Amino acid sequence: QPVSREGALVLNNLFLTVSAATVLYGTIYPILAKAFFDLDVSIGAPWFNLTFGTIMAAALITLPAGPMLAWKRGDLLGALQRLWLAAALAVAFGALVFAVTEPKHLLAAFGLALGAWLICGSLVELAERVKLGRAPAPEVLRRTRGLPRAAWGMTLAHIGMGVFVLGVAFEQSWRVERADALTLGQSMPVGAYTLTLKSVGPVEGPNYTAERATIEVRSKAGVSEITPERRFYPHSRQSVSHIAIEPHGLSDLYVVFGDRREGAKTAWLVRAYWNPWARLIFLGPILMALAGAISLSDRRLRLAAGAKAKAMLARAAA
């Protein structure tokens, strides 16, 4: 039936296929328009955010309901009823973030609620499998130990997707950028940090020369130093900025040391980017990759492959 776990898998594949098609279209359309019609067309981030983002948001909203459906014929209303707690927690989390953060971003609150929905929905599905709260503790423990690795992999993969969505929502909505020409001893604020240019000096690399800046980073957590560089490669006659990255928990501070500005006082262009919770963007895919490895290690897959090979050999021998 359309409402079944098979139907949910087909719907998921349709979402992913259409999403890939939108990215392909947005990438090659300007090239084709120039080649065949001599039109200068550019497709930028707003178009991709509107199309790809909308399609993927719809796919992620429906994702937790798929594993709750039975094979062949499912009960969509029953699945949604079992997910009410996950939905309530996700909505409450999004509303709380919208209420306490400044500046307020409605789309960011929606993105965070979506990430929480994926994580909580996965945990609810896992709790349903082991009958948490509906069976005695020994029975729950027995069912937990008996869960196949593929089930653990699926749950971890969906949690990883939720973690990734949380990271994207935080980073895109509350990222802070600042650029200023600083003289020695001058400071500039970037989010919750204050950057002070302490010194600038020459550095000799193996195949380049560089100007290295020592920049003090001061925050409530303490004081540290970073050393971005502006490198020049004589062989290729190219100048390259060597970015300094200062991790602060799950957030990252990127600092780029730019060109010298001559004037009454010598100054250097310094660009800084504070990316809150950006490391969740990397942690999510790592969890998904780990989930794939766990699923592929499922003993049932190895036994099925061996049984299939033996059956083929037996038919060939006959």
Side-chain angles (χ1 to χ4, degrees):
Q1 295 296 317
V3 180
S4 62
R5 190 171 296 191
E6 294 92 339
L9 291 172
V10 172
L11 180 63
N12 178 73
N13 289 339
L14 288 175
F15 276 129
L16 294 178
T17 303
V18 174
S19 300
T22 60
V23 174
L24 178 64
Y25 173 81
T27 303
I28 68 172
Y29 177 73
I31 302 174
L32 297 178
K34 182 64 177 178
F36 291 101
F37 305 106
D38 197 25
L39 295 176
D40 292 321
V41 179
S42 65
I43 297 180
W47 187 86
F48 285 103
N49 291 340
L50 181 63
T51 55
F52 180 82
T54 302
I55 296 169
M56 287 306 299
L60 296 178
I61 289 174
T62 61
L63 182 62
M68 306 291 286
L69 298 174
W71 295 104
K72 296 185 178 181
R73 183 188 300 272
D75 181 9
L76 181 59
L77 181 59
L80 295 178
Q81 287 175 343
R82 286 179 298 200
L83 287 169
W84 72 268
L85 179 59
L89 292 174
V91 172
F93 179 63
L96 177 64
V97 170
F98 183 78
V100 302
T101 55
E102 291 292 343
K104 298 185 183 301
H105 294 283
L106 184 59
L107 286 179
F110 171 76
L112 295 174
L114 183 58
W117 162 248
L118 292 172
I119 296 173
C120 294
S122 301
L123 295 177
V124 167
E125 191 273 337
L126 181 63
E128 286 286 327
R129 281 177 175 268
V130 301
K131 294 186 177 181
L132 183 65
R134 297 186 291 114
E139 173 66 12
V140 172
L141 183 59
R142 185 191 67 81
R143 295 179 68 90
T144 301
R145 290 175 176 174
L147 278 180
R149 294 181 185 177
W152 288 108
M154 180 189 66
T155 300
L156 184 61
H158 290 177
I159 291 175
M161 177 60 73
V163 170
F164 172 78
V165 172
L166 290 177
V168 171
F170 269 109
E171 197 270 342
Q172 290 292 319
S173 300
W174 287 286
R175 177 176 55 192
V176 177
E177 301 180 11
R178 179 73 185 270
D180 204 350
L182 301 182
T183 59
L184 293 179
Q186 192 174 3
S187 302
M188 73 175 186
V190 182
Y193 306 93
T194 301
L195 307 184
T196 303
L197 182 61
K198 304 297 290 185
S199 64
V200 177
V203 175
E204 290 289 338
N207 60 341
Y208 64 86
T209 60
E211 275 191 318
R212 175 181 294 172
T214 301
I215 298 177
E216 179 186 83
V217 180
R218 186 177 296 272
S219 66
K220 292 181 179 179
V223 179
S224 60
E225 287 188 349
I226 53 177
T227 54
E229 297 177 0
R230 183 71 176 174
R231 295 179 176 179
F232 176 72
Y233 293 85
H235 180 71
S236 59
R237 310 295 298 176
Q238 288 184 337
S239 294
V240 178
S241 294
H242 180 69
I243 301 172
I245 302 176
E246 176 84 356
H248 290 267
L250 294 174
S251 304
D252 282 332
L253 179 67
Y254 297 82
V255 179
V256 182
F257 184 61
D259 296 327
R260 182 191 298 259
R261 302 292 176 87
E262 300 293 347
K265 288 186 177 181
T266 304
W268 292 265
L269 181 63
V270 177
R271 296 181 182 273
Y273 308 83
W274 179 58
N275 300 296
W277 289 43
R279 291 180 179 261
L280 293 182
I281 298 175
F282 305 99
L283 178 59
I286 290 173
L287 292 177
M288 287 186 275
L290 178 61
I294 292 174
S295 297
L296 290 174
S297 70
D298 195 311
R299 184 168 177 270
R300 297 177 306 166
L301 298 180
R302 297 199 302 272
L303 289 175
K308 185 177 180 180
K310 290 181 180 178
M312 292 177 63
L313 290 175
R315 287 196 300 268

